[in-house]
Amino acid sequence: MLKHIPALLAPDLLATLRAMGHGDEIVIADANFPASFLGPKLHRADGISATAMLDAVLTLMPLDDFVDETAIGMAVVGDPQADPPIFGEFRSVIARHEPAAHFSTIERFAFYDRARGAAAIVQTGETRLYGNILLKKGIIRPAG
C-alpha cells in the first residue's frame, strides 16, 4: 500500500500511467466495449464503474492543456447531440481535477479508431451505456 494513490489503480495500471508521455492516450471503457482485440494493452477493472476509474486516474494523471480535445466520449449512435447522464458525471469528475479541461464526443467508429492507437484500455465493469472516455495525457510543469 502507498499513500495518496487510489486503491482502484492496480500496480500494472500504475506502471502504464507512469510510462505514458505527453500526448499519449488511455481509454476507460465500459463493460460492453470491444477492448480485448483492438490492440492496446488491456487492464481489467471488473466491478469498478467508469466514473470511479476516471476519478482515480485523474488523481494522478494531468490532462493535456495544449489541445482542445483532452477528454473524449463516444457519441450516442443515431443521436450525436444526446447527453446521457454518465456524460454529466464525466464532466463533474473532470471539473474536480482539471477545471480548464473540456469533455467532447466523437462518433462510435471514430472512437474505436482512436482507441486502437491508445497506450492502453482500462475495461471497467460499467454497465451504463456510453460509459467510455478517452484521455490525452498532459504534462506536469516545473515547480516555481
Side-chain angles (χ1 to χ4, degrees):
M1 295 297 294
L2 298 171
K3 293 180 180 181
H4 311 295
I5 295 177
L8 297 181
L9 302 177
D12 59 334
L13 179 52
L14 284 172
T16 295
L17 293 171
R18 175 62 180 94
M20 289 171 60
H22 180 213
D24 284 342
E25 296 178 337
I26 189 166
V27 174
I28 298 172
D30 64 26
N32 291 304
F33 193 79
S36 293
F37 303 108
L38 281 181
K41 180 173 179 62
L42 177 60
H43 297 279
R44 298 295 306 212
D46 300 314
I48 298 171
S49 72
T51 50
M53 183 56 69
L54 176 63
D55 187 54
V57 168
L58 291 182
T59 298
L60 303 178
M61 190 184 92
L63 292 178
D64 195 341
D65 59 2
F66 291 107
V67 297
D68 291 333
E69 293 184 329
T70 62
I72 305 165
M74 180 189 293
V76 174
V77 174
D79 189 3
Q81 301 307 315
D83 194 36
I86 196 164
F87 287 2
E89 291 184 45
F90 284 160
R91 285 187 199 95
S92 293
V93 172
I94 292 164
R96 275 198 310 276
H97 294 282
E98 300 278 337
H102 173 70
F103 175 78
S104 59
T105 61
I106 57 176
E107 186 270 334
R108 175 184 172 204
F109 292 105
F111 190 95
Y112 291 158
D113 288 342
R114 192 90 174 246
R116 282 183 183 90
I121 298 172
V122 181
Q123 181 133 41
T124 68
E126 182 63 66
T127 57
R128 291 173 287 180
L129 299 179
Y130 298 98
N132 305 298
I133 188 167
L134 183 140
L135 306 171
K136 183 177 280 291
K137 188 174 183 181
I139 63 168
I140 297 185
R141 300 183 188 283

